[in-house]
């Protein structure tokens, strides 16, 4: 990981054999992770991995802004998203808006039977603010919006794209998702070549894609 990179809670900073968790970091299962949004610092002198907090001047959040957030709950017709950064101003704290809501009709240009075919709790996503008053409403229909990073639900490995779905490189778990065109590339804002990336994905799906089965049907009270 490059120095001064903006990281989000849960992002890997390094292995615990090499770095101790410093300010804004924690250790779990031999890995050091970010505990907050900020700039990652790997200090080779003290062997500490730290996350420097962002500046206190709050970023504003308005209609049309692109935000980075984490899926925290999935209901039958909407998703709750913890808003972690304005993608255009990642170094600034967000105002106390808490979370945003993403309705099932605003998730994908394709018809969705169930939200579980697009998102999973814990997914890091990029969304656009379509209403900021009285509460933040989000949209991920565009090609440049959707999941940026997803972890395998079985083994927690970061999933990779395969055609128009995601596959775990460790245990081969596969699933559908509404991915941003640049899934896994580490961008905060959508890149300029979204159309080109979508064409590559469609070609990959035709050449060696998988038919991703629908996920198990939503049942209330199953916890996630
Ligand atoms: Zn896995």
């Amino acid at each position: 990981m490059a120095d001064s990179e903006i990281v989000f809670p849960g992002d890997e900073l390094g292995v615990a054999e090499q770095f101790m968790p410093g300010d804004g970091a924690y250790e779990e299962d031999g890995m050091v992770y970010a505990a907050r949004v900020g700039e990652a610092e790997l200090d080779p002198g003290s062997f500490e991995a730290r996350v420097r907090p962002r500046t206190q001047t709050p970023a504003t959040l308005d209609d049309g802004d692109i935000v980075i957030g984490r899926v925290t709950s999935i209901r039958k017709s909407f998703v709750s998203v913890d808003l972690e950064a304005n993608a255009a101003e990642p170094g600034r704290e967000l105002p106390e808006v808490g979370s945003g809501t993403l309705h099932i009709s605003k998730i994908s240009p394709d018809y969705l039977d169930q939200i579980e075919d697009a998102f999973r709790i814990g997914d890091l996503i990029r969304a656009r603010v379509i209403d900021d008053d009285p509460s933040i409403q989000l949209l991920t229909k565009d090609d440049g919006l959707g999941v940026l990073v997803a972890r395998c639900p079985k083994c927690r490995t970061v999933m990779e794209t395969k055609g128009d779905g995601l596959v775990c490189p460790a245990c081969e778990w596969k699933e559908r998702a509404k991915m941003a065109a640049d899934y896994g590339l580490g961008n905060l804002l959508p890149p300029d070549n979204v159309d080109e990336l979508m064409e590559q994905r469609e070609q990959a799906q035709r050449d060696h894609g998988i038919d991703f089965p629908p996920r198990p049907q939503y049942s209330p009270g199953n916890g996630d």
Side-chain angles (χ1 to χ4, degrees), residues 152-157 159 168-173:
C152 172
K154 299 192 86 171
C155 74
R156 309 302 298 154
T157 303
M159 308 265 281
C168 172
C171 75
E172 298 187 348
W173 175 272

Side-chain angles (χ1 to χ4, degrees), residues 135-212:
S135 63
I136 302 284
Q137 303 292 322
L138 303 169
L139 172 143
T140 56
K141 272 188 177 183
D142 301 355
D143 289 342
L145 305 175
V147 181
L148 296 176
V149 180
R151 286 184 182 271
C152 172
K154 299 192 86 171
C155 74
R156 309 302 298 154
T157 303
V158 172
M159 308 265 281
E160 296 174 351
T161 55
K162 174 143 185 156
D164 55 11
L166 292 170
V167 174
C168 172
C171 75
E172 298 187 348
W173 175 272
K174 56 182 193 284
E175 62 186 21
R176 298 177 178 198
K178 167 56 175 100
M179 302 164 289
D182 58 323
Y183 173 95
L185 299 185
N187 304 313
L188 291 178
L189 284 167
D192 293 334
N193 62 340
V194 161
D195 291 348
E196 191 185 322
L197 291 169
M198 287 305 286
E199 274 168 35
Q200 286 171 11
R201 178 181 294 172
E202 280 156 26
Q203 187 62 48
Q205 176 65 21
R206 284 194 292 273
D207 290 350
H208 52 77
I210 300 172
D211 254 350
F212 291 89

Side-chain angles (χ1 to χ4, degrees), residues 45-78:
S46 64
F47 302 102
E48 262 192 359
R50 295 184 287 259
V51 180
R52 193 192 306 147
R54 298 176 294 167
T55 57
Q56 297 302 309
T57 322
T60 54
L61 217 46
D62 299 307
D63 284 7
D65 280 347
I66 303 294
V67 291
I68 307 294
R70 187 85 62 178
V71 174
T72 52
S73 75
I74 297 177
R75 305 293 170 83
K76 194 162 177 58
S77 63
F78 69 92

